[in-house]
Amino acid sequence: MLEKLHPNVARVTEVLRSHDVEGDVVVFPESVPTAAAAAEQLGCEVGAIANSLIFDADGAPLLVLTSGAHRVNTELIAGLVGAAKVRRATPEFVRLHTGQAIGGVAPVGHPAPIRTLVDTWLAKHEVVWAAAGHSHTVFPTSFDELIRITGGTAAEVE
């Protein structure tokens, strides 16, 4: 368990507050690096988990916030963002562009803004849970709030 807030979680919390996000960060005693693990701990549908997936879109980072019930179609999102090639990013690429490790990447709190797509499927859930900068943390939000706080674009990603 995190004895004190991890610096990434503190940064994410600061950004959430600056955007008037009301939900509090939830800290789990054990890591919840997957949508299934988070859903189990929260007692919600896996589809209500917003996976923060970083892709390499022609060398630029692309954040796709997708429902835990979906897999991202990289050819589809390449067309949406006008990239020749979109592929899953390496752990090093993810950390470079987010400052966070895979399994805990938050939708916000990165060193610089990242182009973001938000899976329209998430709109089906009143409460959506997203990572808060560390694999032990999540925060409650909504589809509309994710669009607002990330400057993201709603998209079908599957």
Side-chain angles (χ1 to χ4, degrees), residues 39-95:
E40 184 177 329
Q41 287 292 315
L42 293 163
C44 69
E45 294 179 37
V46 73
I49 304 299
N51 281 334
S52 296
L53 304 176
I54 298 290
F55 291 88
D56 179 335
D58 294 340
L62 173 67
L63 172 59
V64 179
L65 299 173
T66 186
S67 165
H70 284 166
R71 295 187 82 65
V72 174
N73 178 330
T74 55
E75 289 181 21
L76 175 66
I77 64 171
L80 291 174
V81 300
K85 183 166 181 134
V86 171
R87 63 179 185 264
R88 280 302 274 275
T90 65
E92 297 79 18
F93 187 91
V94 171
R95 191 174 291 277

Side-chain angles (χ1 to χ4, degrees), residues 128-154:
V128 174
W129 294 89
H134 190 279
S135 64
H136 284 250
T137 62
V138 295
F139 70 96
T141 187
S142 68
F143 171 79
D144 290 336
E145 192 166 68
L146 284 172
I147 296 282
R148 180 176 63 80
I149 67 176
T150 65
T153 302

